[in-house]
Amino acid sequence: MPPMKVCIVGSGNWGSSIAKIIGHNVKGSNRFNPIVNMWVYEEMIDGRKLTEIINTEHENVKYLPGHKLPKNVVAVPDITEAVKGAKILIFVIPHQFISKLCDQMKPHITEGTIGISLIKGIDEGPDGLKLISDIIREKLEIEVSVLMGANIASEVADEKFCETTIGSKNEGNGQIFKELLQTPNFRITVVQESDTVELCGALKNIVAVGAGFCDGLGFGDNTKAASCGVADLITTCYGGRNRKVAEAFVRTKKSIAELEAEMLNGQKLQGPQTSAEVYRILQKKDMIDKFPLFVAVYLICFEGKEVQEFITCLQNHPEHM
């Protein structure tokens, strides 16, 4: 078997953190091609192209400053160029861009290519909820696994210890991804239940927005804990960007879009967006009263509901806490 070429589709702070790991791991394995392409949405930074900065200084100065990327990770601004010859695709972009990118990639995908989605979000399909991995599967006609976990990008980049889960219906592919992505400080468990892993990864971001509302309103940790349960949730509710921006939303009275621009350097939040998709699905299925937390987050983010009412919304449904 010739070594498999890897392409990372995306280069935000999570994409760049993962590039750091992959760039290092491919060098130590004969299973993978040592050159890794990373698709970068081209931007100008102080008069220079971001791809040029990454390829000469080996640092994503906009999204992961202060971290050197391995020299074998090559930034490519053209998606069709980036995926040429790739047998392994790592998807790590905001979920609202996935459909369009897949359409551009499709003519260049060869048989036997496999993918893994690190995207925490869901989409709204004609019949209800649609997983991001399903969009990729349908559009590219490839086998897709997912990676979801309590992973704050900056901590992974700092090589702090954390665990994550790969959901892969195909056991062999799961092992390939584990070899590509695991490090002594980034421990991976592979399970065959892919859809559940992906769903938990997406829905917890809505809960994190709720946790940020609690912080903005000055409530204590017990209140926040009432809406958390497992590792990914807990980490996100304390350290993640969804929580941080939601807290600022309460304190500053600015819109989510304004705060994204100010606080995230142009990156997109997944929590509010996911809450809107979930809300529309619940509406269609006549299940709004069964998910008070998800519904309250949506109404506060997008429909002007007073954030002070957040806890009241939940108290009306003690059985769902």
Side-chain angles (χ1 to χ4, degrees), residues 150-189:
N151 312 135
I152 304 275
S154 57
E155 294 188 8
V156 173
D158 285 334
E159 295 174 33
K160 291 182 176 163
F161 182 84
C162 61
E163 296 180 304
T164 199
T165 304
I166 286 178
S168 185
K169 290 168 188 170
N170 178 312
E171 214 173 327
N173 292 353
Q175 291 309 317
I176 289 173
F177 289 123
K178 182 171 181 169
E179 188 183 325
L180 182 64
L181 291 159
Q182 181 161 272
T183 74
N185 289 322
F186 188 60
R187 305 302 295 166
I188 294 173
T189 307

Side-chain angles (χ1 to χ4, degrees), residues 213 217 219 250 292 295-297 299-300 303-316:
F213 291 161
L217 292 163
F219 294 138
V250 181
V295 169
V297 168
L299 294 173
I300 291 165
E303 302 286 349
K305 193 178 185 74
E306 281 297 316
V307 73
Q308 281 69 17
E309 292 177 46
F310 179 56
I311 296 299
T312 327
C313 300
L314 303 185
Q315 282 164 343
N316 298 339

Side-chain angles (χ1 to χ4, degrees), residues 203-260:
L203 296 178
K204 67 106 216 283
N205 278 334
I206 309 179
V207 184
V209 175
F213 291 161
C214 292
D215 290 341
L217 292 163
F219 294 138
D221 286 346
N222 284 338
T223 314
K224 201 197 298 196
S227 66
C228 304
V230 286
D232 192 5
L233 262 179
I234 295 164
T235 305
T236 312
C237 289
Y238 284 87
R241 63 172 88 157
N242 287 279
R243 184 214 62 79
K244 192 167 78 177
V245 175
E247 179 182 358
F249 175 86
V250 181
R251 295 190 193 277
T252 64
K253 309 281 191 289
K254 291 178 179 174
S255 73
I256 294 287
E258 282 175 276
L259 292 166
E260 276 181 337

